[in-house]
Amino acid sequence: MPPPVDVPLDATKVPGLPSTQFSPRSPFENPTLAPLNVMSGSTLTPLQHLKGSITPSDLHFQRSHNGIAVIDPAKHRLVIHGLVNRPLSFDVDELKRFPSVSRTCFIECSGNGRAAYRTPKPQMTPQEVDGMTSNSEWTGVSVKTLLHEAGMKGGAGWVLAEGGDAAVLSRSIPMEKMLDDAIIAYAQNGEPVRMSNGYPMRLVLPGYEGNMCIKWLRRLKLIDQPNMSRDETVKYTDPLPDGNSRQFSFVMDAKSVITSPAFPERLKGAGWWPISGLAWTGRGKITHVDVSTDGGKTWFEAELVGQVLPMAHTRFQYMWEWKGQPATIMSRATDETGYTQPTLQEFRTVRGPGTDYHYNAIRSWTVAADGTVGFGG
Ligand SMILES: Nc1nc2c(c(=O)[nH]1)N[C@H]1C(S)=C(S)[C@@H](COP(=O)(O)O)O[C@H]1N2
Ligand SMILES: [Mo]
């Protein structure tokens, strides 16, 4: 597609374009994205188009159970009540008077990777395979600060967090997490939280499943046991082959995805190619990522690029000398607890066919002799 602006033959010979208040992307950057199904209530991050580790705010994935709430911040209040000494409420300007905290972390939907597991196709892009994870710098107030302000009563072991959208989504969060690193964020990558990501304020629980990071947050109720609300009982539980279920698996397990080379890329000839991707874990820092180019028989340690932050996307790369032969490339993340991503077979055995959430098996991409790349499951 030709760019929508005139491109001079020599940019040093004509004055450039006038400045605009909002800076557009280069007209040459016209990324091909997965088709958008507006009725599904979700969009996925095009991981294959990103470098480094931050997700630009307008490319953060979106998952909204009943549309994107449009909220006037002047009319929105966050209420803190239940097992507290002083029930309180704050609008966003009042929250901004508290000391702020900033934290870069991923938010990943616990359903991320479902289609790639259930119905893998060679023509799936990294966006379609694992695009329901994104990484932002979130700024706001520590939940701990507000809970100390309200004063906790004995027995307050859980907090019910509720959104002010048409889904009125609510989840129970252990008090331990709320007092540890939970944030009520009003800013994302330096600017107000985008509307689809919870404007004017959202809960951010580093490392926890995306569903618990309640957007358009309007209420925190201190309670003595989980509320068992609809959103935490009808979904997000994984039935296991032995008849038991994995319920309340809040922390996201270590995972990685190669973002290049990946479909629809084609390697233009033998030689050196970087194998690059993202790794993350809800249990702290990624300690290493191994890459295989022979379908998992041998593994080599990849380099971690840039800062390695806990509960954040970590970029890895491995320089590969491709001999022009068919190859299967894979990545395998290990976190600081020593946990390593399971193979697809191990994952299938442990989780069985009924599983619907928390997919973190090692993935593969096949490179054909002509350089075309396909998703290998
Ligand atoms: N109020 C409210 N909060 C919500 C949701 C929602 O529909 N309503 N969706 C949840 C789900 S399922 C996920 S995965 C994350 C997605 O956050 P994002 O849209 O900012 O990526 O928000 C969670 N918080
Ligand atoms: Mo989700």
Side-chain angles (χ1 to χ4, degrees):
M1 224 208 287
V5 294
D6 290 335
V7 181
L9 283 175
D10 180 348
T12 67
K13 295 291 184 281
V14 288
L17 297 174
S19 297
T20 51
Q21 200 71 48
F22 291 102
S23 162
R25 292 198 163 83
S26 160
F28 292 95
E29 294 303 321
N30 193 10
T32 41
L33 301 178
L36 177 64
N37 175 357
V38 272
M39 296 312 289
S40 76
S42 60
T43 67
L44 288 74
T45 294
L47 299 172
Q48 66 275 22
H49 296 303
L50 305 187
K51 303 292 179 206
S53 63
I54 294 291
T55 310
S57 299
D58 63 351
L59 294 178
H60 197 286
F61 86 92
Q62 305 168 28
R63 175 71 186 109
S64 301
H65 290 234
N66 201 357
I68 299 163
V70 182
I71 290 178
D72 175 353
K75 294 185 186 146
H76 181 86
R77 295 194 78 80
L78 166 66
V79 173
I80 302 182
H81 69 135
L83 295 171
V84 295
N85 297 325
R86 290 173 299 281
L88 296 172
S89 89
F90 304 96
D91 66 17
V92 71
D93 286 338
E94 288 160 354
L95 284 189
K96 287 178 184 160
R97 292 180 60 183
F98 285 94
S100 72
V101 290
S102 287
R103 171 92 191 236
T104 299
C105 64
F106 72 83
I107 292 182
E108 181 183 17
C109 177
S110 41
N112 195 27
R114 184 185 291 128
Y117 181 74
R118 290 275 177 80
T119 48
K121 293 184 201 79
Q123 297 80 14
M124 288 178 101
T125 64
Q127 177 181 27
E128 292 163 305
V129 169
D130 261 331
M132 291 189 93
T133 185
S134 306
N135 198 56
S136 293
E137 184 202 62
W138 298 100
T139 297
V141 192
S142 274
V143 170
K144 182 170 55 183
T145 304
L146 299 182
L147 293 188
H148 283 154
E149 196 75 9
M152 291 169 278
K153 283 193 171 152
W158 293 78
V159 179
L160 178 73
E162 181 186 83
D165 56 331
V168 199
L169 198 128
S170 74
R171 290 287 308 251
S172 309
I173 297 131
M175 182 61 85
E176 213 184 353
K177 180 67 174 175
M178 289 304 236
L179 293 177
D180 180 13
D181 57 2
I183 300 172
I184 295 164
Y186 43 73
Q188 174 183 9
N189 297 332
E191 59 173 351
V193 171
R194 292 285 170 124
M195 200 160 60
S196 55
N197 304 117
Y199 180 88
M201 56 179 82
R202 82 167 308 160
L203 188 60
V204 175
L205 302 171
Y208 271 34
E209 62 182 0
N211 183 261
M212 302 174 80
C213 300
I214 303 294
K215 305 191 280 187
W216 312 290
L217 184 70
R218 71 168 184 186
R219 191 158 78 98
L220 293 177
K221 184 180 184 187
L222 281 67
I223 51 183
D224 60 353
Q225 52 186 306
N227 187 57
M228 305 310 269
S229 42
R230 176 185 177 277
D231 303 298
E232 59 199 6
T233 50
V234 296
K235 294 179 195 164
Y236 314 114
T237 296
D238 304 306
L240 299 175
D242 66 2
N244 286 316
S245 287
R246 233 175 76 136
Q247 196 197 16
F248 286 180
S249 38
F250 300 148
V251 182
M252 298 303 283
D253 296 322
K255 192 166 168 179
S256 66
V257 62
I258 290 172
T259 55
S260 175
F263 179 81
E265 242 181 302
R266 187 177 156 260
L267 299 185
K268 296 172 192 79
W272 290 98
W273 290 95
I275 295 178
S276 177
L278 294 168
W280 62 98
T281 170
R283 294 203 171 78
K285 287 184 186 172
I286 288 292
T287 47
H288 63 272
V289 178
D290 300 310
V291 166
S292 175
T293 57
D294 59 7
K297 288 192 214 67
T298 52
W299 293 89
F300 300 95
E301 190 165 349
E303 177 196 352
L304 303 182
V305 185
Q307 268 185 302
V308 179
L309 298 173
M311 292 103 157
H313 283 180
T314 300
R315 174 66 61 178
F316 65 86
Q317 74 183 349
Y318 171 76
M319 290 307 297
W320 176 39
E321 191 177 11
W322 183 50
K323 299 283 197 311
Q325 306 291 324
T328 298
I329 59 174
M330 300 168 133
S331 64
R332 179 178 74 184
T334 300
D335 70 22
E336 61 181 321
T337 67
Y339 175 90
T340 297
Q341 263 186 282
T343 63
L344 189 54
Q345 205 169 352
E346 285 164 352
F347 183 89
R348 280 210 184 99
T349 310
V350 172
R351 297 283 290 281
T355 200
D356 215 18
Y357 297 97
H358 312 103
Y359 301 98
N360 76 321
I362 294 170
R363 307 199 176 286
S364 67
W365 299 87
T366 57
V367 181
D370 68 356
T372 52
V373 185
F375 178 60

